Amino acid sequence: MSEEAQESIEMEADDGSDNTIRNHVIGSMGVGLIPIPVVDLVALTGIQVNMLRKLAKTYDIPFSKDKVKTILASLIGGGIPVTFSTAFASLMKTVPLIGTTTGALAMPILAGATTYAVGKVFTQHFACGGTFLNFDPEAVRDYYYEMFKEGQDMAADMKGGDKKTEKKTEEKSEKK
């Protein structure tokens, strides 16, 4: 296969990956609004597993739901401060009034950021020829944190209907 053809395939996969990640971030943010603690975390895991299934299909990578759940637990669970903040936001919902409000404000952004980071980490891994079998959570930990921070900004913008996000979307549409 020519180098140009390979680049074209990679660009198409990237476009598909970005859309897949964005759609699942939106879904994750919606799940973050579920008022029942722990149920939101279970639903969030389901959304992330589905996202990884779609990303794997985009890159023609064999998918195993059980293997993916283990990898997600290892990747996200290894980031104790990030995991704790998401779990804490979920559990805050048990506190009447104040907890529900705080959880409803924090959880969508944390859920969206986590999903964004997971998606970006696996897109990079798959694009470099990786599979679920050779994924090393420790090797991507720094990149995960970097993408989590980027995801927090993106989710906050999406949640707030930020004019910058709308403007960027308009600019991308005009370029096409």
Side-chain angles (χ1 to χ4, degrees), residues 10 17 34 40 47 51 54 88 91 98 119 121 123 139 155-156 165 174:
E10 288 173 7
S17 296
I34 294 174
D40 54 356
I47 286 174
M51 176 181 66
K54 289 184 177 187
F88 182 72
L91 292 174
I98 295 171
V121 164
T123 296
T165 304
E174 290 173 5

Side-chain angles (χ1 to χ4, degrees), residues 55-82:
L55 290 174
K57 186 176 181 181
T58 299
Y59 287 93
D60 199 28
I61 304 292
F63 178 82
S64 166
K65 186 176 181 179
D66 293 332
K67 178 75 174 163
V68 168
K69 284 183 178 180
T70 303
I71 290 171
L72 276 174
S74 179
L75 177 63
I76 297 170
I80 298 300
V82 171

